[in-house]
Amino acid sequence: MVASHLLAHPNRFVAQDRMLTDTVRWGTVDSTSLRLMGQIGYDELIEAAASSGYVAPDLGGIWATAPYLHNGSVPTLWHLLHAEDRPERFWIGGHALDYEFVGIAGEIDEAGTYVYPDGYEPWSRPFLYDTREPGRSNQGHEFMTSSEAGKRALLEYMKVK
Ligand code: HEM
């Protein structure tokens, strides 16, 4: 049997005007924060540079890392693929995983909040994530215009990445 190994990840940088996800994180990396990182020795641990966008992440094990996008603003992979249905507010913490939608298990309540399934008892204190707060926008990464069947296939593929 031949096993596959990841030999390199290209660190593909995607500019803001293409990705359109929240700008706050890349915006905080400027000459001042880079200088401070140097002063505390943090620059020996990460390679940081000022830019205007994000690097596409490796999707290996993505099924286990909800919520999604760099700011954790999207509760499931299904919502990532259905941008128009991403919830404005959702609970996170002590949640159960949903293996069909892939991510935080929940449902939309009458106020439009993505809440834990009826009767579910979180095992740690949950936090209400509100995408209207600064740095928490759930916009962008909306260019997957595939059919519903195509999105379903992508979701199944990401489960085994
Ligand atoms: C089949 C199409 C695609 C799928 C299924 C997909 C999937 C994903 C997923 C699941 C994430 C979230 C990763 C995480 O939270 O750790 C992500 C983020 C990202 N993807 Fe894609 N992607 C696709 C197409 C693309 C394309 C075409 C580009 C480049 C133009 C791209 C660039 C990025 C970038 C830069 C991020 C990070 C964005 C952020 O966190 O703000 N993706 N992608």
Side-chain angles (χ1 to χ4, degrees):
M1 193 172 98
V2 181
S4 307
H5 297 282
L6 179 66
L7 298 179
H9 185 61
N11 283 342
R12 187 190 161 133
F13 172 80
V14 185
Q16 179 64 27
D17 59 356
R18 180 134 196 245
M19 183 54 44
L20 303 175
T21 54
D22 195 276
T23 59
V24 167
R25 185 171 297 183
W26 65 253
T28 57
V29 182
D30 58 11
S31 55
T32 307
S33 58
L34 287 170
R35 182 169 41 77
L36 290 170
M37 280 186 219
Q39 279 173 9
I40 61 173
Y42 200 52
D43 59 346
E44 288 168 22
L45 305 173
I46 60 164
E47 240 179 81
S51 71
S52 55
Y54 298 107
V55 169
D58 188 321
L59 299 186
I62 192 75
W63 64 270
T65 62
Y68 298 106
L69 293 180
H70 70 276
N71 56 356
S73 58
V74 181
T76 73
L77 289 179
W78 186 91
H79 289 102
L80 188 78
L81 295 169
H82 296 82
E84 64 289 357
D85 289 320
R86 292 178 192 169
E88 196 170 63
R89 289 174 308 284
F90 62 91
W91 288 100
I92 173 169
H95 49 266
L97 288 182
D98 182 315
Y99 295 106
E100 193 188 339
F101 280 24
V102 191
I104 298 173
E107 54 210 11
I108 294 283
D109 72 2
E110 51 297 336
T113 303
Y114 188 73
V115 296
Y116 294 156
D118 205 20
Y120 178 74
E121 289 289 334
W123 44 267
S124 71
R125 196 155 119 209
F127 166 81
L128 185 63
Y129 191 108
D130 191 333
T131 62
R132 296 167 301 185
E133 290 172 8
R136 295 203 164 139
S137 159
N138 62 3
Q139 299 308 295
H141 200 296
E142 295 180 17
F143 35 64
M144 284 168 293
T145 53
S146 174
S147 64
E148 202 43 46
K151 289 180 181 181
R152 168 56 60 188
L154 268 177
L155 196 60
E156 293 305 317
Y157 174 68
M158 285 192 281
K159 284 183 189 177
V160 294
K161 270 292 282 168

